[in-house]
Amino acid sequence: MSIIDRREAYKDRSAASRKRLLRRYRDVIKQGVRDSIKKADGFSDVIKPGEERRPIKIERKSMDEPEFVYSQDRGDHEKIISGNPGYISGDKIDKPPSGKGGGSGRDADPNAEDGQDDFIFHLTADEFADILFEDLELPNLVKKSLIDPNSRELTPAGFTKTGPAGNLDVVRSFKNSLGRRIGLNRKGLNTRIADLQKKIDDLIAVLEQPNPVSEERAESLMFDLTSARNDLEALKRKRRAIPFIDEIDLRYRHNDWETKPSSSAVMFAVMDVSGSMGEHEKTLAKLFYLMLFLFLRRTYKHVDVVFIRHTTEAQEVDEKTFFHDTVNGGTIVSSGLKKVKEIVDKRYDLRNWNVYVAQASDGDNSHSDNPECKQVMEKDLLPLAQYMVYIEIHPEIHHEWYFSKSKTGLWTTYEEMLPNHENLAIREVRSRRDIYPVFRGLFERKN
Amino acid sequence: MVDFSSYQNDWTPDLIKTYYDHLHSIAVDEWGYKIYPNQIEIVNSEGMLEAYTSHGLPMFYPHWSVGKSYQDLKRTYKRGQMGLAYEMVLNSDPCINYLMEENTLTMQILVLGHAAMGHNHFFRNNFMMRQWSHADYIVSYLKFAKDYVEQCEERYGFVAVERVLDAAHALRFYAVDKYKTPKKRKGYEAERLKARIDFEQKTYDRLLDFGKNPETEKSDQDDRKIEPTENLLYFIEKNSPILKDWERELVRIVRKIWQYLYPNINTALMNEGFATLSHALLIEELDKRKLLNEAAMLEFCHMHSNVLWQRDMSPLSNPYALGYAIYRDIIRICTNPTKEDGEWFPEIAGCKDYWKVIFDAVVNFKDESFVLQFMSPKVIRDFKMMSILDRREDDHYKVTAIHDEQGYRRIREIMSENWNPNVNIPRIEVQDVRWKADRTLVLRYHPFAGRSLDTRACESVLGQVKKLWGFPVEMVSK
C-alpha cells in the first residue's frame, strides 16, 4: 500500500476543459460581459482582483448534450417506492395536476440536468478583462520603464556570516550551533555531567556510611569512583572547550539593492460636476472611467486612481463621494486640469509613474476659460501624461430633433491641439451603448 | 506503537498505515477478500470536484462538457446542496483511492474500509468488471487518449475535434456489445496510432491514390450483410463512409472509455452495497478489538447514517441503502433464518458461511439478477415497498403490489427492472444501411412496455450521428 500526496497535482486539471467551454460559448459570454459592464455600479463592483465575480448566464438549451430517452407522454412506467402509508394492491392514486409522471426508475445518465436553472458561469477577473478588451491595446507610445539608479529598493537577499548586530537571525544561528554541538557530541553534555556527578555523590555516600563494607567491595567502589571522577573531568574539559555558541554559527540577514522597473500607472478621473451635468451624464462618465481602469490594470501591475471633481474649483475626493455626491455650480474646466498637475507634482514621481488622464464634461465651459485650458494642457499636462482622453457627453436626444450640431467651445479648443499631440484623444458620447464602441475605437489595435 | 487510548482525530500518514494494516489483516487474511494492491492519493476538495467531473477517472481528454460539469458541480457544492464524496476509487491495478485531505481520521478509516477493501474486492472479482474494464491498462490508455485528442486539436483545430467528440458522446451508452466478450488488448495503442497518423499523412487524398480504384472499394461494401448490433459506436467507427482515420480513432477513444464505464451502471447497487457492508463490518470489528474509542464510533454512526439516508435520493434509488440492506439480510438468512427464509432461500438459509454466499454473489451477479435472487420479503417489508404503475395516458397511478404475500414476487421483478439499464436506456440497434441507394443508416428502436422515444431528443441525436455518418440517418420502430 502506498500513499501519494496529490494535492498540488490536481489543481486546475479541468482548466483545459474550461478553456474549451469559454471558446465554445465565446459569443454568448462576450455579450454577457458587455451587459454586466452596463449594469456596473461603481469601481468596487468590478474591482476584486483574483476572485471569481462575474456571473454570466448561458441558456441551458445551447448546452444540450442530447441522448436517446423515453418520451414522457406514452408508455408504462412501473416503479418501486418505499414507505407505503397504507395502500393495497389495486388502489388508484390521483396524479398531480401538472401531469408529471414518476419517471422510469433510476436515472441512467449521471449528467442529466433538470433544465430549470440557466447555466451560470463565473469568469475570473482576468478572463473578464481578456474578453472585454479583446483586440485592444494601449497606444504605442514610449512607456516609462527606465532603470534609474534612484528607483531602487532594498529587498531580502539571503544570509551572510557577518553583519550588523541588528540583523542577527537568532533562530538560524541557534540551529547552526545545535548542529555543531550534535556533531561534536556536545549535546546533552550537561545532563551527562549531572548524571555523573550524582553517581559520584552516591558512591561517596556509600563509602562514607557508618557500616563498613567488605574490603573488595570498598576497593571496587573506589575504582569506580576514580574512573567516574576522571570521566567527569574529561566531560567538564570538553564542555569548556566546545562553546555552546560560536562565531561560526552566527548568521545575519542580508538585504540588497534591487532596481525596480516602473510598472505603475496612475489614472486621474476628472469629472465636471457642474449644474449642467445630470445623472445621465455622470453615469456615462463613470462607465468610461471604469473601463479605462480595467484596461490599465491588464498592463500595469499597480494602478492608482485619483478622483478629481470640479465645478469652478477642483477637489480631490474619494470614490464614494465622486460618484454619489451632488454638487452644483458653474464650470471652470481648467481648475480640474490644474489640480491634476498639482497632485502629480506632489505625489507622483514621473520617473516611476505612468500618468493617464480621463476627463469627462458636457463641454459647457465658461467661454473665457477655454484659452486657459489650452495653456494648461499644452504646457503642463500633455507633456507629462502617457495618454489623455477627453469625452464629451451629450444628452440623449433623438437625431431628428438635434440637427444643429454645433461644437462646444471646449471641444474646438481640444480639437485644435490634436494634430500636434499624439497622446490626446477626444470623443463624443451620447448613451450607454456608445461607451464601449468609443472605448474600443480609442484603443483599437492598429495593424 | 500507537497509543489507542488517546485517539486523535487528525490523521497522519503513519496512522493511516497502521489502520490500513489492521483493515487488511481482517478483511484479507481473516475474511478472505481478494484485492488489487492499493494506492492512496491525498487530494483536496478541488481535486475531488475535478475527479467527479471526469467520471472518477484520473485524467480525461479535455472537452467543454467537462468544463460545464465542473461549473455545475462547484456551484451545487458551494450552495451546500451536495456533499462531496468522501472517497473516489478507480477500477485499476493497482487500485487508486482518492482520500480528501480534510477528512478526519475516522472518515479516512471508513473510506479505506469502503473503497480500498470493499470496492477494490468488487472490482477485482465481479464478472462484469473483469469482462469489460481492463484494470491493468486503463490509466495508460487514458493518458494516450488525452494526448491524442490534444494532438488532433493542434493539427486539425478545436472545432473539428469538438464536432466528432460531441457526436460520439451522444451515443456513449451504445458503446458495447452486450452479448459478446471483448478481446483482451495489450498496450500497443501508441505505436498503432503513430503508424496511423503517418499513413494519413502519406495518403492525404485517397482519390489520387492510383494504387486502388475507389469505385471498386466502395462496391465491396454494398453486398455486405448487416448484422443487427447494439454497439452503434463500433459500427460507425468501422463503417462510416466519411470519417477520416483520426476521426475514427476519436470515436474509438470515446467508445473504449465508455466501455470501461459500462459495468458501473450495471453493478452500482451491488458495488456500493458491498462497499458499505465492508466498511460497516470492518468498523464493528475494529471496535470489538478496542482500536477505536467512543468518539470515533459516534462519528462513524453519524457518517454511516448520512451515507444510507441521503437527502436528495429516495431510499430505494440510493444504491447504498438498498444494497446494504440486502447484504445485511443475506447475513441474517445464513446465520439466523426464519421459516419464511427457509421457503424462499432453501440453498442458503442457515448455512452459516455467509461470506461464501456473499463472495459468490459478488462474482456472479449484476444488479438486476442480484435483486431477483436475493431481495427477501423481509427487506421488502422493512422498506414498506409498493409498486406503482404509471401509465402515461391515464390520469391516475395504480398500485400493483404491496409488501404482502401476493406482492413480493412482483415487487422483486419490478425492482430488478428498475435497476436494469437495459430497461432504463432505450434499446437501439443498427437495422440496415442502404448502400446501393442513398447510404441511409437505419436504426431501429425496440419499444419496451409501450414506451416511445422522445422525438425532440431523438432528432437531436440523429443530427449528431449524421455528422459522423455523412449520409441520412433514420430511426424506425415497430
Side-chain angles (χ1 to χ4, degrees), chain B residues 193-204:
Chain B
L193 245 325
K194 190 167 176 312
R196 230 183 176 158
I197 294 177
D198 291 339
F199 175 72
E200 168 90 343
Q201 277 179 320
K202 286 185 204 128
T203 62
Y204 173 64

Side-chain angles (χ1 to χ4, degrees), chain A residues 342-354:
Chain A
E342 187 191 311
I343 295 179
V344 167
D345 283 345
K346 206 170 12 158
R347 298 180 351 212
Y348 291 100
D349 186 340
L350 288 176
R351 284 172 301 195
N352 300 331
W353 290 92
N354 296 286

Side-chain angles (χ1 to χ4, degrees), chain A residues 190-208:
Chain A
N190 285 333
T191 325
R192 277 185 278 152
I193 287 177
D195 287 344
L196 257 185
Q197 188 65 54
K198 186 168 184 314
K199 184 170 167 203
I200 291 173
D201 292 338
D202 288 342
L203 282 173
I204 293 177
V206 168
L207 286 169
E208 285 182 349

